[in-house]
Amino acid sequence: MNLLNIANKNDLVAICQHIGTDLRALKYLEPKHEIYHIFIPKVDYRAAGFLKQEMLSRGGDAVVAKHVIDGRIDYSGVLLMGTRSQLESLIIKIDAMKFWGLAEIQNDLKNLLAGLDVKEFKINFPNNKTLTLDKNAKLMAILNLTPNSFYEPSRIANENDLLKRAEKFLNDGAAILDLGAESTRPNFTPVDEDEEIKRLLPALKILRKEFSNAIISVDTYKSKTAEIAFNEGADIINDISAFELDPKILDVIAKIKLPYVLTHSKSEDTHEHNLLEAMRKFFVEKIKILTEHGFEREKIILDPGLGFGKTPDENYLIVKNIECLKIFGLPVLVGHSRKRFTGVGNNSQPERLAATLAVTSMLAQKVNILRVHDVIENFAALEISKRIAEINLEPELNNALLQ
């Protein structure tokens, strides 16, 4: 007897072939091989009771508060537990019960399942370049043009240093170069636009000249910097403030039409127990604002903002549940490299590489872009994760395991 990890359709096909199953049954077996756990934090008690009964009738289940049954509470959290086919059947059933907030739950379930179906994103740039993002994360390499970035070895010393690092990062496997001219470390002191542009422009110009095909991201929340960066050949605007520090950037990005990294920051009144729901609502609101300003939804990249106003445990919570962002059907970028939450014990910041690689391995097939300082090490972690993920249960090679 062996407990197997049936991680995808290929694994399911392989074991069915080994057993001798009629492969026409795959149509019915595939939606049943994975159980989803979906938490809804606040549901009308009547809707909670309905969800419980409907999931049970389909062979799944729903966890609700004990007083849902007698109506002694108004609301309950709900944990849906079921297969893809059970959830799809529930969505259809709700068509006849669109009250008690069930219509919104139905819509969110539809979006979540649709997001899980997205296996590839194609990001198109105004200069006709395209970046394809699939189930295996790509690396964004950090190039710091600041004298005070939190990881000192990442600071660029001069033009020659910039070119050498950029070339090495691209050769080592980076898909994107991320240029930053202002440190956004905790409690950072902002620099004015003129100083940021003074640091940024020479570096951007030389990189664009020397690496014409490279995809270059500019880490800025300032509207003037974003527009100038676009004029000098930047491909992505990476805004850590979600257009809160400079709302004018909304008009700029709508005009220049570059892909935009939308980053979550935790407000002071958000606590760990509702952080994931607060993050979901944050992105719903921000995406709505962006699209109302004429920005193309498909050019939004979501960043959960690890380290931005969050405790170590909150960062771990997000990493563990990162796939909750699939409800949006948009690419996800994570910046975890050498941040404080990757410290173990009293480890100082330069000793955080091993922990960074652990997070990289965990997220390798769950997000689309990982922003890192150490490209060659993180690329190796991604490659090993990819090889493990792609190993299939091929009967002719694994008879010993399957017997």
Side-chain angles (χ1 to χ4, degrees):
M1 179 181 293
N2 294 287
L3 180 64
L4 299 179
N5 181 14
I6 308 296
N8 51 48
K9 183 178 179 180
N10 290 337
D11 288 345
L12 188 61
V13 170
I15 189 66
C16 288
Q17 287 175 331
H18 179 78
I19 293 170
T21 307
D22 184 338
L23 294 185
R24 288 176 295 182
L26 284 170
K27 176 182 177 181
Y28 307 100
L29 295 174
E30 188 180 0
K32 299 177 181 179
H33 92 275
E34 188 172 6
I35 299 293
Y36 297 98
H37 299 85
I38 302 169
F39 178 60
I40 313 170
K42 187 178 181 181
V43 178
D44 183 290
Y45 79 95
R46 294 163 294 184
F50 166 82
L51 293 171
K52 174 77 172 179
Q53 293 305 313
E54 292 299 325
M55 288 302 294
L56 284 171
S57 72
R58 288 160 173 74
D61 208 337
V63 181
V64 301
K66 62 184 177 181
H67 288 302
V68 161
I69 193 170
D70 58 20
R72 288 165 60 187
I73 56 173
D74 293 327
Y75 296 96
S76 170
V78 175
L79 176 66
L80 299 177
M81 299 188 294
T83 64
R84 174 74 180 245
S85 58
Q86 289 162 356
L87 293 169
E88 288 174 341
S89 176
L90 175 65
I91 288 170
I92 294 171
K93 176 69 174 184
I94 294 175
D95 276 333
M97 298 284 288
K98 289 194 172 182
F99 35 82
W100 306 329
L102 284 166
E104 182 180 355
I105 291 171
Q106 180 191 49
N107 185 63
D108 285 347
L109 282 174
K110 285 180 179 179
N111 289 337
L112 176 58
L113 295 183
L116 290 170
D117 286 339
V118 179
K119 306 302 181 188
E120 183 178 278
F121 300 96
K122 284 190 179 293
I123 299 179
N124 298 310
F125 303 96
N127 54 15
N128 296 321
K129 282 187 291 190
T130 299
L131 175 64
T132 300
L133 301 171
D134 56 25
K135 63 182 179 180
N136 297 301
K138 300 286 195 302
L139 293 179
M140 173 186 276
I142 299 168
L143 290 167
N144 279 320
L145 307 172
T146 59
N148 61 336
S149 54
F150 84 92
Y151 181 45
E152 187 173 345
S154 71
R155 301 171 191 170
I156 303 298
N158 50 50
E159 181 181 302
N160 187 51
D161 184 26
L162 173 69
L163 288 173
K164 282 185 175 180
R165 290 201 201 198
E167 183 176 25
K168 185 175 189 314
F169 285 162
L170 292 170
N171 289 338
D172 288 345
I176 306 167
L177 300 175
D178 189 48
L179 275 178
E182 175 182 347
S183 174
T184 52
R185 64 193 298 169
N187 303 313
F188 72 95
T189 301
V191 299
D192 61 36
E193 282 182 333
D194 291 340
E195 178 61 27
E196 184 182 43
I197 292 166
K198 179 182 175 182
R199 295 174 183 177
L200 176 70
L201 275 193
L204 179 54
K205 285 180 177 181
I206 193 169
L207 287 180
R208 189 74 291 159
K209 178 182 177 182
E210 295 297 322
F211 307 103
S212 59
N213 293 323
I215 295 171
I216 300 176
S217 166
V218 169
D219 189 350
T220 185
Y221 56 83
K222 299 182 179 72
S223 55
K224 182 179 177 182
T225 306
E227 187 159 17
I228 290 175
F230 164 74
N231 292 332
E232 294 298 336
D235 299 299
I236 298 172
I237 301 300
N238 184 6
D239 178 3
I240 58 95
S241 85
F243 51 81
E244 289 189 0
L245 292 177
D246 183 358
K248 292 179 182 177
I249 202 170
L250 278 169
D251 296 323
V252 170
I253 61 173
K255 180 176 71 172
I256 65 179
K257 301 187 183 304
L258 291 186
Y260 176 76
V261 179
L262 176 64
T263 306
H264 174 262
S265 293
K266 195 194 80 170
S267 61
E268 293 181 0
D269 60 348
T270 301
H271 303 292
E272 182 179 338
H273 70 276
N274 66 358
L275 176 61
L276 297 179
E277 178 64 8
M279 185 166 67
R280 185 189 71 83
K281 290 179 178 178
F282 174 94
F283 283 131
V284 167
E285 177 188 351
K286 296 291 184 178
I287 291 169
K288 183 174 184 288
I289 293 171
L290 282 167
T291 55
E292 287 176 349
H293 269 76
F295 192 75
E296 301 166 76
R297 191 180 191 280
E298 60 270 21
K299 289 191 174 181
I300 300 171
I301 301 169
L302 303 182
D303 181 347
L306 298 184
F308 287 93
K310 301 173 180 78
T311 67
D313 283 349
E314 288 170 337
N315 290 313
Y316 303 146
L317 178 74
I318 291 171
V319 170
K320 184 175 182 178
N321 296 281
I322 194 67
E323 289 179 297
C324 70
L325 294 179
K326 287 186 180 293
I327 193 171
F328 295 101
L330 293 169
V332 175
L333 178 155
V334 170
H336 62 296
S337 184
R338 294 182 177 269
K339 288 186 176 177
R340 188 175 301 169
F341 78 92
T342 65
V344 179
N346 293 319
N347 280 0
S348 61
Q349 188 265 30
E351 297 172 304
R352 297 175 189 165
L353 177 57
T356 294
L357 297 178
V359 177
T360 293
S361 297
M362 289 187 67
L363 298 179
Q365 279 77 45
K366 295 182 178 180
V367 304
N368 304 104
I369 303 170
L370 291 168
R371 183 176 180 272
V372 299
H373 298 91
D374 312 278
V375 173
I376 194 167
E377 294 88 350
N378 280 278
F379 188 79
L382 289 181
E383 280 297 296
I384 293 298
S385 296
K386 178 181 177 181
R387 292 180 192 181
I388 293 170
E390 292 181 351
I391 286 293
N392 293 321
L393 296 170
E394 299 174 1
E396 66 273 20
L397 298 178
N398 295 285
N399 282 335
L401 170 66
L402 296 174
Q403 286 174 354

